Each structure stands twice: as C-alpha cells, then as structure tokens.
C-alpha cells in the first residue's frame, strides 16, 4: 500500500484489515450495525534515517468510513503510537476495537480509509502512509 517519504532514505509499508469482534475472520465486509468489529493496522519503516527520529515521535493513525452514496463520513479511529527506541527499522501492529451501534453510523456502504502520519517533536514529518478499502456494508436487522 502507498507509503510516501519526502527527501529521506526511508522505506515503509502499511496494511489495514477488518476483523470480527474476536479477531477471528479477516476481511469481514458485511457488518450488522449492533455488532462490535475491529481494524488491525500494521506498518513498518526502515532505513538509516529512521534511527534519527526521537523515540518520543508520535505516529497518528486515523481510520475513516467514507459513505458511498447518501450518508455521513465518519472517523472511527484516531490514535497515537510512540516511535519507540532508536533503531534502523520498526514494525507496528495495532488492533483497534469499534463498538457496535457506533454513533452516526447508518445502514449503507462505506469505504474504509486509513491514514498514517508522523510528528517529530511536535512538527509533522515528511512521512505518510495510507490504504483504501475494503468497501464495508453495514446493515440493521430487525
């Protein structure tokens, strides 16, 4: 998936997978609105410049549902993760649980969009990753 770095010799990857409430079924795409579900985001960065970032640098992970057709776009995840100790490579694996009956979520189709950015000492770094999809169908069963 796209991972872009401006002017620094750093490589990166990012993936986002939708899981059932127990993390058992990857790529779940049809979800009943009252059901809990989860998103697993994995990313990695590597390169000589990675070790120069402050261990207190913060990754920002934002996951949104973009409505396909009528409906509202929703931000369902907005979390931070510390860079960690200086190293030439870092791997991250974060699962975020989304509660059932999420406020504002209506029946319909949505595209899942995950955006990853980095702030170093409070300043945005020239690094970003994103992944689009899958399309999720939310429904309300009587």
């Amino acid at each position: 998936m796209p991972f872009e770095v401006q002017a620094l010799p750093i490589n990166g990857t990012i993936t986002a997978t939708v899981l059932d409430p127990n993390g058992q079924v990857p790529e779940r795409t049809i979800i009943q609105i009252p059901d809990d579900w989860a998103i697993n985001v994995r990313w990695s960065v590597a390169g000589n410049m990675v070790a120069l970032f402050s261990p207190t640098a913060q990754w920002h992970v934002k996951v949104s549902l973009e409505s396909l057709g009528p409906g509202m776009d929703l931000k369902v995840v907005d979390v931070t993760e510390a860079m960690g100790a200086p190293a030439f490579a870092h791997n991250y694996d974060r699962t975020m649980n989304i509660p059932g009956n999420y406020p504002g979520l209506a029946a319909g189709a949505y595209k899942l969009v995950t955006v990853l950015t980095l702030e170093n000492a409070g300043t945005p770094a020239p690094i970003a990753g994103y992944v689009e999809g899958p399309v999720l169908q939310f429904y309300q069963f009587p």
Side-chain angles (χ1 to χ4, degrees):
M1 298 304 140
F3 200 98
E4 187 172 339
V5 179
Q6 294 291 321
L8 296 175
I10 295 174
N11 297 311
T13 62
I14 180 174
T15 63
T17 305
V18 177
L19 306 170
D20 78 358
N22 301 312
Q24 302 284 330
V25 182
E27 294 302 326
R28 182 176 182 192
T29 58
I30 300 174
I31 302 169
Q32 189 170 351
I33 290 174
D35 290 350
D36 295 339
W37 54 290
I39 301 165
N40 176 258
V41 179
R42 293 180 181 186
W43 70 99
S44 63
V45 291
N48 294 339
M49 298 297 286
V50 173
L52 299 179
F53 284 104
S54 166
T56 60
Q58 293 285 312
W59 290 106
H60 294 272
V61 180
K62 296 179 182 172
V63 181
S64 298
L65 294 173
E66 294 185 356
S67 178
L68 301 177
M72 232 170 58
D73 295 345
L74 298 170
K75 186 183 300 180
V76 293
V77 171
D78 189 350
V79 297
T80 59
E81 179 89 24
M83 169 68 89
F88 293 111
H90 288 276
N91 296 302
Y92 304 89
D93 186 339
R94 181 96 184 251
T95 298
M96 292 137 304
N97 296 313
I98 313 299
N101 293 314
Y102 192 83
L105 182 60
Y110 297 81
K111 182 185 282 191
L112 186 78
V113 178
T114 304
V115 177
L116 174 72
T117 57
L118 180 68
E119 282 189 7
N120 192 30
T123 302
I127 298 172
Y130 65 92
V131 59
E132 288 185 290
V135 172
L136 304 176
Q137 176 69 32
F138 290 90
Y139 71 99
Q140 182 70 52
F141 192 72

